[in-house]
Amino acid sequence: MRYLSTRGDATPRQFCDILLEGLAPDGGLYLPERYPQVDAAELARLRAVHANEGYAALAFEILSRYIDDIPAADLRAICEQTYTAEVFGTREIVPLKQLDDGFYLEALSNGPTLAFKDMAMQLLGHLFEYELGRRGQQLNILGATSGDTGSAAEYAMRGKKGIRVFMLSPHGRMSPFQQAQMFSLQDANIHNIAIEGVFDDCQDIVKAVSNDLAFKARQHIGTVNSINWARLLAQVVYYFAGYFQATSGAGDKVSFTVPSGNFGNICAGHVARMMGLPIKHLVVATNENDVLDEFFRTGVYRVRAAADTLETSSPSMDISKASNFERFIFDLLGRDGAAVRELFGVQLARQGFFDLSEDARFKEAAQRYGFQSGRSTHADRLATIRGVHERHGVTIDTHTADGVKVAGEHRTDVPMIVLETALPIKFAETITEALGHPPERPARFNGIEGLPKRVTVLPADVEQVKAMIVRFGGN
Ligand SMILES: *Cc1c(COP(=O)(O)O)cnc(C)c1O
């Protein structure tokens, strides 16, 4: 399998060439040159593999269609090390919970940090360690986080050979639970850096360090952000696993609703559908930051300024632009790299939006690609959390609530699966607002706020962050 850039660069690359990279050199995102097809007979075989051998075996089946530069036995071992009941809480890994007839939650949040990002990040940790070991290389992962991504990265990379993590977060601005999750890690290769500033300051420092190309090369700096193809690929697997659990055989279809921010999670659903998984609708659920809902309603993709990006009670969906969206537009435009370059490289940079409302390909997007969308507000979130709790005795998190609310508006004659993207304990304040009492805390997190913290507080100063990487970066 070869990979190409959404902006037209077609230098042949294999999976491991792009595994440790971010953007393609032309500023585009990587995609496989084609989507391997799964026909009805193959789908039946995969259903049997999932039923008989479990999630890790299914993951190997899907991944091996996209990864041909890791020996099959090694790739299978990596999948088996990653997707264990010990790490993800159940033997099913992603069990479905039925709410109503034909209405399900797919539990993706029982990994180490209680958000769906563990599903991909845990695999990335094993893949990175494997590939760096093969090459005899080191990697210093530098990132900025306001919560979920940073902790998922740290729990995936802790103790991994050849890898160190330098994670910046805004000092004092994460919830006590999130701070405790990250700062209680005592592994020598994990470095928490609390920056005296806001999240944007953290991101600016990461950009400044990465733009110093000499420093970046010398210190082996890399990232694990949501545009990484391996993360997206790992997420394709649970669309298959959800489908198999909600259906019984050939000809059945399902729809998925996905609480969306950077369009990473739902883009994996798009890939699964392009492979031939019988998905009727892919429903994008946004919060008040409704960049994506606006596009699917109007054909206009308009990125927001930082000042127009709202702080909501589903904070992991508070985005100003959807960094993975370019991948879908590439497919929508018939994989025309020059057209994508014009939209994302020229029009967005010049005027902050592009408009496909008059393009025939946009008009048939819902039909051809199954996309629908909706948005949810703080009031919707509270009402949904309350309603699901009253009717089903289940407490859902704020992001999942956005999904359940929007899914309710898009039900048809096929089962609807809402992806549960986090557990409620991560967002206890809003749950308490909705229910009058805090959510249940999984036993293994009892008292984590009281554990010793390992964190260095620094001013928002690029040079001091660089000095810390030089000191602990192992070169
Ligand atoms: C990251 C995240 C999302 C958004 O996922 P995308 O892949 O960025 O669309 C939704 N919910 C939670 C809890 C998250 O952590």
Side-chain angles (χ1 to χ4, degrees):
M1 178 64 80
R2 299 275 181 278
Y3 289 86
L4 38 79
S5 162
T6 52
R7 298 200 187 170
D9 178 347
T11 311
R13 296 176 179 86
Q14 285 182 287
F15 178 82
C16 290
D17 298 330
I18 65 167
L19 172 63
L20 302 162
E21 277 186 52
L23 292 173
D26 64 357
L29 281 69
Y30 290 114
L31 272 179
E33 60 185 348
R34 64 192 162 74
Y35 297 113
Q37 294 300 299
V38 174
D39 63 15
E42 190 54 19
L43 197 61
R45 195 181 70 80
L46 292 179
R47 182 187 291 277
V49 167
H50 180 240
N52 300 330
E53 299 169 54
Y55 190 90
L58 177 65
F60 168 73
E61 289 284 343
I62 305 291
L63 264 51
S64 60
R65 288 167 158 78
Y66 291 92
I67 304 174
D68 49 18
D69 52 347
I70 294 177
D74 293 357
L75 186 59
R76 191 183 280 280
I78 288 171
C79 291
E80 283 167 2
Q81 281 161 18
T82 303
Y83 297 111
T84 64
E86 196 193 357
V87 174
F88 287 97
T90 62
R91 204 185 58 79
E92 296 89 343
I93 308 296
V94 292
L96 286 195
K97 290 187 253 189
Q98 182 163 354
L99 291 187
D100 278 323
D101 219 21
F103 195 73
Y104 303 90
L105 291 180
E106 184 169 357
L108 305 180
S109 310
N110 296 310
T113 73
L114 308 184
F116 85 97
K117 289 187 174 72
D118 290 328
M119 292 300 304
M121 210 68 94
Q122 287 287 320
L123 179 77
L124 211 59
H126 288 286
L127 282 171
F128 274 19
E129 183 176 53
Y130 174 85
E131 184 59 19
L132 288 167
R134 271 207 307 196
R135 298 183 187 187
Q137 286 178 4
Q138 305 270 318
L139 183 68
N140 289 315
I141 294 171
L142 175 64
T145 190
S146 52
D148 290 346
T149 307
S151 55
E154 291 189 353
Y155 279 77
M157 303 299 166
R158 64 188 293 200
K160 295 283 190 295
K161 283 191 281 299
I163 302 174
R164 288 164 221 91
V165 178
F166 296 85
M167 192 56 67
L168 314 189
S169 59
H171 183 43
R173 286 176 191 258
M174 290 192 301
S175 74
F177 186 85
Q178 284 178 317
Q179 292 188 39
Q181 266 191 322
M182 288 177 59
F183 301 166
S184 64
L185 287 179
Q186 298 297 326
D187 305 75
N189 72 329
I190 303 296
H191 301 279
N192 288 302
I193 306 176
I195 295 291
E196 293 171 330
V198 294
F199 175 64
D200 282 340
D201 297 317
C202 301
Q203 243 179 345
D204 288 345
I205 293 171
V206 170
K207 273 186 210 148
V209 174
S210 304
N211 287 342
D212 182 344
L213 296 181
F215 183 85
K216 188 178 174 202
R218 196 164 61 239
Q219 297 298 329
H220 310 289
I221 306 277
T223 58
V224 288
N225 48 29
S226 82
I227 57 160
N228 182 290
W229 165 254
R231 276 182 68 181
L232 206 130
L233 179 57
Q235 294 171 349
V236 173
V237 179
Y238 54 68
Y239 283 87
F240 281 81
Y243 172 80
F244 292 140
Q245 291 178 80
T247 61
S248 54
D252 290 348
K253 285 196 167 196
V254 300
S255 294
F256 287 93
T257 299
V258 186
S260 293
N262 277 316
F263 204 76
N265 201 354
I266 199 159
C267 193
H270 166 67
V271 171
R273 193 174 183 278
M274 296 297 278
M275 292 173 75
L277 189 68
I279 297 174
K280 182 169 176 140
H281 291 138
L282 285 166
V283 185
V284 179
T286 74
N287 63 18
E288 293 90 334
N289 296 293
D290 55 359
V291 188
L292 289 166
D293 179 44
E294 180 174 78
F295 174 78
F296 285 103
R297 275 187 297 105
T298 65
V300 177
Y301 179 65
R302 184 172 55 88
V303 303
R304 313 290 201 254
D308 299 328
T309 307
L310 304 166
E311 262 185 52
T312 75
S313 46
S314 46
S316 299
M317 292 154 63
D318 291 348
I319 51 118
S320 53
K321 61 178 175 52
S323 49
N324 272 290
F325 188 53
E326 184 169 331
R327 287 192 160 111
F328 170 65
I329 295 296
F330 182 63
D331 284 342
L332 181 75
L333 299 182
R335 303 205 134 202
D336 180 346
V340 171
R341 188 167 355 107
E342 165 64 21
L343 292 183
F344 284 87
V346 181
Q347 291 193 20
L348 268 193
R350 199 170 49 208
Q351 62 192 25
F353 72 92
F354 61 72
D355 182 353
L356 294 178
S357 60
E358 295 307 316
D359 192 305
R361 292 168 296 192
F362 169 71
K363 289 178 181 164
E364 58 176 35
Q367 188 61 32
R368 274 191 74 172
Y369 299 99
F371 275 101
Q372 300 191 335
S373 73
R375 84 194 274 276
S376 164
T377 63
H378 183 70
D380 294 326
R381 218 163 284 138
L382 295 182
T384 307
I385 291 167
R386 222 175 276 136
V388 169
H389 187 261
E390 274 164 18
R391 279 197 305 280
H392 310 290
V394 174
T395 309
I396 55 173
D397 107 285
T398 54
H399 307 77
T400 309
D402 290 333
V404 169
K405 186 265 179 182
V406 173
E409 299 160 354
H410 290 89
R411 289 188 63 179
T412 62
D413 54 336
V414 307
M416 171 64 84
I417 301 174
V418 179
L419 299 188
E420 179 189 64
T421 55
L423 288 197
I425 185 65
K426 294 194 90 167
F427 306 96
E429 219 175 289
T430 308
I431 306 302
T432 306
E433 188 182 344
L435 300 180
H437 60 81
E440 201 182 314
R441 176 182 286 235
R444 68 182 196 272
F445 293 98
N446 279 337
I448 58 165
E449 289 90 342
L451 294 175
K453 294 189 169 50
R454 196 163 168 273
V455 55
T456 306
V457 181
L458 291 182
D461 175 11
V462 176
E463 292 312 317
Q464 294 199 39
V465 171
K466 279 183 170 172
M468 211 171 140
I469 296 172
V470 170
R471 178 153 172 228
F472 295 106
N475 297 292

